[in-house]
């Protein structure tokens, strides 16, 4: 019943920018953690960026994207975004949204994944 839908991917030139969106729908009680992963063909899926509202809150970035990517949340819209600047061909991958969520009438947290959105960086 919980669904994550990514959007915003596409083809961009090196040095360009894209903004990815992930919208969570369903019987959501609370979203504790949201993250972006990516997977290039023939490679392992890797964590790109994450954010949490637990405690004081925090964000985390892979070293390869620090200073270029920014993760943000809009709690009112149950959404998370990834602003990607200064893109290079190594950023080409399918980007996946992940969230740790409690649903209505459920006390345990579950991990949910979106279907992914393609990002291609090429001249």
């Amino acid at each position: 019943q919980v669904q994550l839908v990514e959007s915003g991917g596409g083809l961009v030139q090196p040095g360009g920018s894209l903004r990815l969106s992930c919208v969570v729908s369903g019987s959501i009680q609370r979203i504790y953690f949201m993250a972006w992963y990516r997977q290039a063909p023939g490679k392992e899926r890797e964590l790109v960026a994450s954010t949490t509202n637990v405690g004081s809150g925090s964000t985390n970035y892979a070293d390869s994207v620090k200073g270029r990517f920014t993760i943000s949340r809009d709690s009112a819209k149950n959404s998370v975004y990834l602003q990607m600047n200064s893109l290079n061909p190594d950023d080409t991958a399918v980007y996946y949204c992940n969230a740790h969520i409690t649903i209505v009438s459920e006390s345990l947290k579950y991990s949910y994944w979106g279907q992914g959105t393609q990002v291609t960086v090429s001249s």
Side-chain angles (χ1 to χ4, degrees):
Q1 195 165 0
V2 174
Q3 185 178 20
L4 280 65
V5 179
E6 301 99 335
S7 62
L11 176 64
V12 65
Q13 292 184 326
S17 299
L18 286 174
R19 186 173 187 259
L20 305 183
S21 298
C22 173
V23 180
V24 182
S25 62
S27 302
I28 305 300
Q29 180 67 30
R30 185 176 179 182
I31 302 174
Y32 294 87
F33 171 92
M34 301 190 80
W36 288 96
Y37 290 75
R38 68 185 181 187
Q39 187 169 24
K43 297 183 179 180
E44 297 278 344
R45 185 174 298 188
E46 64 175 346
L47 177 66
V48 177
S50 64
T51 182
T52 179
N53 288 336
V54 176
S56 60
S58 64
T59 57
N60 185 56
Y61 298 92
D63 288 341
S64 60
V65 306
K66 282 184 177 178
R68 301 189 297 121
F69 291 11
T70 303
I71 188 170
S72 60
R73 290 181 61 177
D74 187 337
S75 296
K77 298 180 179 179
N78 288 333
S79 301
V80 64
Y81 309 94
L82 186 67
Q83 179 66 47
M84 306 185 295
N85 299 323
S86 302
L87 287 163
N88 60 68
D90 290 338
D91 297 316
T92 296
V94 177
Y95 284 71
Y96 297 91
C97 181
N98 172 251
H100 298 176
I101 300 167
T102 54
I103 62 175
V104 175
S105 301
E106 176 62 59
S107 62
L108 297 178
K109 287 181 285 186
Y110 294 89
S111 179
Y112 298 88
W113 290 89
Q115 297 301 307
T117 184
Q118 176 71 49
V119 172
T120 302
V121 184
S122 176
S123 60

